[in-house]
Amino acid sequence: MNITYLDNNATTRTAPEVVEKMLPFYTEYYGNPSSMYGFAGYVAKKLAEARIKTAQLIGASAEEIVFTSCGTESDSTAIYAALQSYPHKKHILTTRVEHPAVKSLCEHLSAKKGYRVTFVPVDGKGFLDLDYLYDHITDDTAIVSVMWANNETGVIFPVEDIARVVKKRGAVFHTDAVQAVGKIPMNLADTDIDMLSLSGHKLHAPKGAGALYIRKGTKFAPFLIGGHQEKGRRGGTENTASIVGLGKACELAGERIEEENTRVRALRDKLETEILKQVPHTVINGDIHNRLPNTTSIGFEYVEGESILLMLNELGICASSGSACTSGSLEPSHVLRALGVPFTIAHGSIRFSLSVYNSDADIDFVIEQLPPIIEKLRMISPFRAQENQT
Ligand SMILES: *Cc1c(COP(=O)(O)O)cnc(C)c1O
């Protein structure tokens, strides 16, 4: 069966050009980049090139890039680094819609480690309450962590503006930019952002490589303590093949950012417009303007997202639901709950996330298949039945 892959915010296809660059590092160039001989020196040289390419994509300098294993490690490293660098400060400021990589860590620090955490709310369109955020920065705030773009709705936050304010108020500013890198042009040199997380497998690099940007001069403490790798900022022998792949993927992302914002955006818009036109009682979750070009979260009233996904799966269509099934009861996603999306819509929400590897044919297939699926499910919907009773 053909796979129609529309779940690129979960992970992406490794670009063939990236795989090609990686393979020799499993076979021929297996040297440890920290070793002294020339054989390993070549690996170190390629690692350095990957660092430059990664830095270039985000407008940073190579020394400001620390390679990690994933976005989650970058997020944890950033938050722990700030807490360790300012041990007398016990407050963390973040948002209600962060990825679990930040959200669960902050909940843990609050529940088990004695930190006070403020989760800034969003409005119905998914925009942050900036007044609330600024009002809650205190002298006790060690770090403010706000994602650049939301993984479920695609809504973009004004992190450059927020960083400017946070910096003036004396706290560290970190952004989880895992969804934004490669989709939004950025030049970190012109911002007050202190730390930024990115993840390889969200931008057509392999799983197993991520990066943390650490602005020159930012106080830092390593999360993985060990050897002198990464200038003492992250112990552990580098995942050389994946990092070389990340470098290549960053180079490609720079070249394709234009296509993401034109062709991919147009495909997303077509999918959305057609579905909204053909299927009644359907809404877009989050603001439709200030949003990543590849993401749409569509709420279908009176249907369960899980059922839609199962039927799409039968056709080889990969998408994702906004809800996670917890112990038999369907729990709507924390993001959609934070937006105040009504129960009947949150439960029936599906996220489609595209990439440069999607074609018109992919989108036409979904536009053709999805409306009859929704119609069928609505006929047997328990939500519908409840609605009719009341
Ligand atoms: C996927 C994702 C992460 C986690 O990245 P991993 O590399 O899977 O650990 C963090 N934040 C956001 C916004 C994400 O979409």
Side-chain angles (χ1 to χ4, degrees), residues 13-25 46-57 67 181-182 198-201 203-206 209 239-257 356-357:
R13 170 186 180 180
T14 313
E17 299 92 329
V18 166
V19 177
E20 191 189 310
K21 291 280 182 209
M22 290 172 63
L23 290 178
F25 292 86
K46 289 296 164 183
L47 217 59
E49 284 177 21
R51 202 180 302 279
I52 292 169
K53 287 175 181 170
T54 304
Q56 271 170 354
L57 179 63
F67 289 120
V181 171
L198 65 90
S199 174
H201 75 99
L203 53 115
H204 306 290
N239 182 349
T240 51
S242 286
I243 291 169
V244 167
L246 174 58
K248 182 64 188 176
C250 286
E251 183 187 321
L252 291 174
E255 293 165 7
R256 293 173 178 173
I257 202 161
V356 291
Y357 292 106

Side-chain angles (χ1 to χ4, degrees), residues 311-323:
M311 295 186 78
L312 290 175
N313 176 55
E314 296 287 311
L315 301 162
I317 299 170
C318 307
S320 131
S321 80
S323 44

Side-chain angles (χ1 to χ4, degrees), residues 97 121-129 155 286-287 335-336 338-341:
V97 295
V122 296
D123 67 13
K125 294 207 166 233
F127 290 136
L128 264 189
D129 187 337
V155 171
D287 187 67
V335 174
L336 298 185
L339 264 73
V341 175

